[in-house]
Amino acid sequence: MKLKFKHQQFQTDAVQCVVDCFDGQPSVVSRFTLDPGKQPAIEQMMWETQATPHTGIKNNQIELMPPQVLANIQKVQIHRGLKPSGKLEGQYNLTIEMETGTGKTYTYIKSMFELNKKYGWSKFIIVIPSIAIREGVFKTFQLTEDHFMAEYGKKARYFIYNSRQLHQIESFASDPGINVMIINSQAFAARGKDARRIHMELDEFQSRRPIDVIASTHPILIIDEPQSVEGEKTKEGLKEFKPLFTVRYSATHRKDQEFNKIYRLDALDAYNRKLVKKINVKGISVKGMAGTEAYLYVEGLDLSHKQAPAVRIELEQKTKTGSKRVTRRMKAGDDLYRLSNNLEVYKGYTLTEINGVRSTISFTNGITLSAGEVLGDIDELSFRRIQIRETIKSHFEKERVLFHQGIKVLSLFFIDEVAKYRQYDSDGKEVSGAYMRIFEEEYANVMSDEVKHTEQQLYIQYLDSIQVQQTHKGYFSIDKKSSRFVDSKVAARETDSDDADAYDLIMKDKERLLSFKEPTRFIFSHSALKEGWDNPNVFQICTLKHSDSMMKKRQEVGRGLRLCVNQYGDRIDASMPGIDVHDINVLTIVASESYDSFARQLQSEIASILSDRPQKADVTFFLGHLLINDLGETLQIDESLAKKLNKSFIRSNYINDDDELTHDYYEAAANNHVVLPEEFHAYRQAVMDWVATIYSDLPADWINNDRTNNIKQLQLSPNFYTPEFQELWNRIRYKTTYTVNFDSAELVQQCVYELDTKLTVPEAYYRVEHGGLGAIRTKEQLQIGEGFELHETYTQTVEPRAASKVKYDLIGKLVNETRLTRKTIVNMIRGIQPETFLLFRKNPEAFIIRASRLINEQKATAIIKQITYDVVNETFDSAIFTMNPKSGQAGLNAMSVNRHIYDYIVTDSEIEKKFAQELDVSKEVCVFAKLPKGFFIPTPVGDYNPDWAIVFNKELSKVMYLVAETKGSMSSMDIRGTENAKIQCARKHFEKINTTHFKYEVVDHYEMLLELIR
């Protein structure tokens, strides 16, 4: 397998932010005479007689004045919705915030290529804090070589700094291509002998200091995880590199190290944009009851559409020789005293209630337990056994679904002592530690149960092919003398350098670990919680160690946040057809505490790093923001519009008395039914995207309680196999392909007409406001900018001569905005009237934005008008229904149904839930299905997944088969742009495969659906 890389807009945006900070810098290759050092006499004579001395290549100095750079930085910050810097923090320091798992290494490598392309800069140094990150960075360079070669037509020369291989520094300074040195901070800031060599005049380096040769190139510094790099000594050491400028990349910057932040992709952004996994927490906690000696572990609840709820409980059971712990499946009325073979401690423990909504059970003695709780005294090893068992169970649950999608599932165990996993006897032979023994016992039991209850023969064959001893491995430091696994040694002044041998499979051979051919699926590691450790297919993380106050929850989950990849190396993200990213990409944390405790601490840590985000939807939040819709139209929110929007939020109960977002807003947003003033109808999504930047204290939906997620996998009901549904499925399962054959000349002609008749451009003007400092009553008043009073304002038109001094690539800008060819755009500009073209001088920016919008409207119209679908010799497989990864919580987003093809239906919004309830009780409906993501229609603007497939009773309806889409609003102002294009394409798709008694419709409620079928 070879991992594949794709262009992702959020990474491109981060790269462009760095590039734009130096807009106006000329592209120059700068050469200098490289110091040869003290050569042997004969070589020195040859050097001195050379016509051209040895030439080095350095980064050209920044020719912009500091105020110009600051203005560029501020422009970038405003565009990204960040607070503009009041001053430059050094010359020059930039900060990029990117959430763990979103590809910051790829991003800064791409930045190097872009900086080289635009400005000619070619010398880069990556400073990293640990071997784990160093190996990860080096591996990413190797993996992306071909990807960047295809994009830029060149490769970077990269190497890891080694004080004994100084010839690489010579090449770094003299080579004209992109050169990258990867260096540990300890290599120049520690006190060891190796660290001192970079500052020493070395005989083997012609009596030169390596640091001087490096500094002569004016390298650009990339600091990876600066919070772990920049101690006081390291800060001083960095200055000796004489960097051109420094860019810091991390998800968790220290507040005192955030210099000129120009890009932010934090935890909230990453989750909302589905760039990282969703987090489920499977909590395990001990519930102490005074005077209780009984041992109970509530493993979980089993809910069924046709049977009463059941619960899985581990308890003690009397045997002839003593007692043993067993797991039993029980129902209400079961007596634990009898099931334990009459152990006295279980008297009074008769099950009275199993509550599937709250995931709790109750006994006749008044004790109530939740799923995941342990009752009674329990030793640490027994507690760890439960954790290991639950991790294995979660692994199998996930693997059962993803195996047929070609996705390998991995699980990580983090431990505090190697001896708990592997020990050595007196002869030096390896023997199992306690955790290894427990794992192999529990794995055998869980696998035996899995094989009994699954009907997937290929999956069973895969499981049978792997021996339990092959499926787990330990990755620890190796003692060089004894070749034994040892605990990592990280003293106060040491690094984790002795871990280098532990990284091979999990870091260097990442592709092999992701292959089904490699039997390893469970990994035990000692130091894997450090930055740099991750693998995209980690789906379970279990920490078998005491809580460490220095170990943050966010660091713990960070090792498994990356989106997974399949056997072809494709990342399973939003660009993959037929999937919902967060149905597949779910990270389960098996915690040694309750869900509430773990989630509370994790949310607290996330809240602390999101503190700079706005927290209120007040007038000042909206004021001045620029809204841009799908058509490229813009709306600047002035004071009047900001007040109107704020009042609208108050009326709709979207904000409370303190202007904080309420549950009502989040519910409306989830249903795409946010009510806005008329002026904002065309900018609905832009408003919602801006409001999404607000951080709220309301419970985050990216952290979920796995115990309450009690509908683990949807089971097909008999309705699926009925002749009625099979007939519908056979009608709609055909795949199609589309072609768009619009006439370029006709498009040009139509666009020219639109531009000549509809293009208007406002004059560019500036606004002057005159005011003064009024009475200051409070410090808070001054901090929020209310100390100044406005006395007078006036506007002035910008002279066209002044505007014309700024050069614009009109053709290039329109090409970028419309994605049409340069030839087509040139023909449009040539065709418009002279007076239309003169509008460009009046206000170039407005001309480009508004002309692009008009052109894109005509382009969209042409696509919809001219698109044709053809049926191909291929159909959707019925397996998309059995491999549906949807899961849910009974009573919340999952409900029992009678007419659906599954025994439960999981809905994504209140609108869907209400619609499903009405379908399920309607006499007109014979059977219905919420279509899985695996059923989709290709369109030019992205794949489209219809919501519902419905079979109606032919005696009560004139339409028998219908595919329906539910929308929160049917207003033409609300359904526009991309969504409308998809709907129109779907109509043409179904028209092509249409037969009698079949319709495709878009509705907003069930009554509307009934009107269409009667």
Side-chain angles (χ1 to χ4, degrees), residues 24-38:
Q25 167 76 12
S27 177
V28 177
V29 176
S30 187
R31 294 177 172 81
F32 70 103
T33 301
L34 188 61
D35 177 15
K38 295 180 180 179

Side-chain angles (χ1 to χ4, degrees), residues 813-821 825 828 851-853 855-856 859:
K813 289 282 187 181
L814 290 176
V815 167
N816 289 337
E817 294 296 326
T818 64
R819 295 293 185 263
L820 294 171
T821 65
I825 295 296
M828 288 179 190
S852 298
R853 174 180 59 79
I855 294 170
N856 280 328
K859 176 184 169 186

Side-chain angles (χ1 to χ4, degrees), residues 268 271 595 599 603 663 666 695-704:
L268 189 59
Y271 176 78
Y595 162 78
Q603 286 181 317
H663 281 288
Y666 286 110
Y695 177 72
S696 170
D697 287 333
L698 294 174
D701 64 352
W702 69 73
I703 308 169
N704 301 275

Side-chain angles (χ1 to χ4, degrees), residues 406-668:
I407 300 170
K408 185 176 178 182
V409 174
L410 299 174
S411 297
L412 286 181
F413 294 98
F414 299 137
I415 67 177
D416 50 4
E417 280 184 69
V418 172
K420 290 180 179 178
Y421 176 75
R422 177 162 291 158
Q423 297 179 350
Y424 298 89
D425 62 18
S426 57
D427 296 326
K429 294 181 179 179
E430 294 181 359
V431 294
S432 300
Y435 291 167
M436 185 188 292
R437 289 195 301 272
I438 291 172
F439 173 84
E440 293 185 353
E441 291 166 4
E442 294 295 335
Y443 179 89
N445 291 334
V446 176
M447 180 179 162
S448 174
D449 189 59
E450 181 70 25
V451 171
K452 287 178 185 176
H453 293 94
T454 185
E455 298 178 356
Q456 301 176 29
Q457 290 304 313
L458 286 176
Y459 179 49
I460 292 174
Q461 291 173 18
Y462 170 68
L463 295 179
D464 288 340
S465 70
I466 302 173
Q467 298 297 315
V468 63
Q469 295 83 4
Q470 295 177 306
T471 204
H472 66 90
K473 279 189 179 155
Y475 297 94
F476 309 102
S477 302
I478 298 176
D479 183 80
K480 297 295 189 292
K481 295 180 179 178
S482 65
S483 297
R484 296 182 181 184
F485 286 145
V486 294
D487 293 331
S488 300
K489 299 175 182 177
V490 186
R493 302 184 188 278
E494 293 176 342
T495 74
D496 58 348
S497 59
D498 72 326
D499 285 351
D501 294 316
Y503 301 147
D504 283 353
L505 184 60
I506 197 170
M507 293 294 290
K508 292 183 177 179
D509 298 327
K510 189 180 291 187
E511 300 96 320
R512 181 160 66 92
L513 188 57
L514 292 170
S515 169
F516 284 127
K517 294 179 181 178
E518 167 57 49
T520 304
R521 292 142 68 218
F522 298 86
I523 298 165
F524 288 79
S525 188
H526 183 276
S527 59
L529 286 176
K530 296 175 183 175
E531 297 103 330
W533 278 97
D534 54 39
N535 187 291
N537 285 29
V538 170
F539 285 95
Q540 283 72 227
I541 291 179
C542 177
T543 305
L544 301 171
K545 55 189 293 188
H546 292 292
S547 178
D548 183 350
S549 61
M550 298 300 291
M551 182 57 61
K552 300 290 187 182
K553 301 296 183 194
R554 192 150 173 267
Q555 188 180 4
E556 189 172 331
V557 304
R559 300 313 99 215
L561 283 180
R562 289 185 184 274
L563 298 181
C564 65
V565 300
N566 61 20
Q567 294 299 289
Y568 302 104
D570 297 312
R571 196 166 299 280
I572 309 301
D573 58 16
S575 68
M576 292 290 288
I579 63 112
D580 184 294
V581 175
H582 282 159
D583 282 345
I584 291 176
N585 286 284
V586 180
L587 173 66
T588 300
I589 304 295
V590 181
S592 56
E593 58 191 299
S594 70
Y595 162 78
D596 288 338
S597 173
F598 187 97
R600 189 165 50 248
Q601 184 177 337
L602 179 56
Q603 286 181 317
S604 175
E605 291 173 14
I606 292 174
S608 68
I609 65 163
L610 299 179
S611 59
D612 287 344
R613 275 181 172 267
Q615 299 188 12
K616 297 184 178 183
D618 53 14
V619 173
T620 57
F621 169 73
F622 295 113
L623 183 61
H625 185 63
L626 182 68
L627 300 174
I628 306 174
N629 65 15
D630 285 345
L631 299 176
E633 298 169 318
T634 61
L635 177 66
Q636 186 87 39
I637 303 180
D638 59 18
E639 188 172 358
S640 173
L641 288 175
K643 288 179 178 179
K644 182 174 284 192
L645 200 50
N646 176 255
K647 287 179 180 178
S648 171
F649 271 49
I650 294 172
R651 285 194 303 271
S652 300
N653 197 36
Y654 293 160
I655 53 178
N656 60 22
D657 292 341
D658 294 322
D659 291 320
E660 297 167 335
L661 293 174
T662 64
H663 281 288
D664 286 355
Y665 174 78
Y666 286 110
E667 180 65 30

Side-chain angles (χ1 to χ4, degrees), residues 944-948 963-967 979 983 1000-1003:
Y944 170 67
N945 172 233
D947 288 332
W948 309 93
V963 173
E965 176 78 13
T966 46
K967 291 295 175 189
E979 194 64 25
I983 289 171
Y1000 166 76
E1001 296 292 349
V1002 180
V1003 299

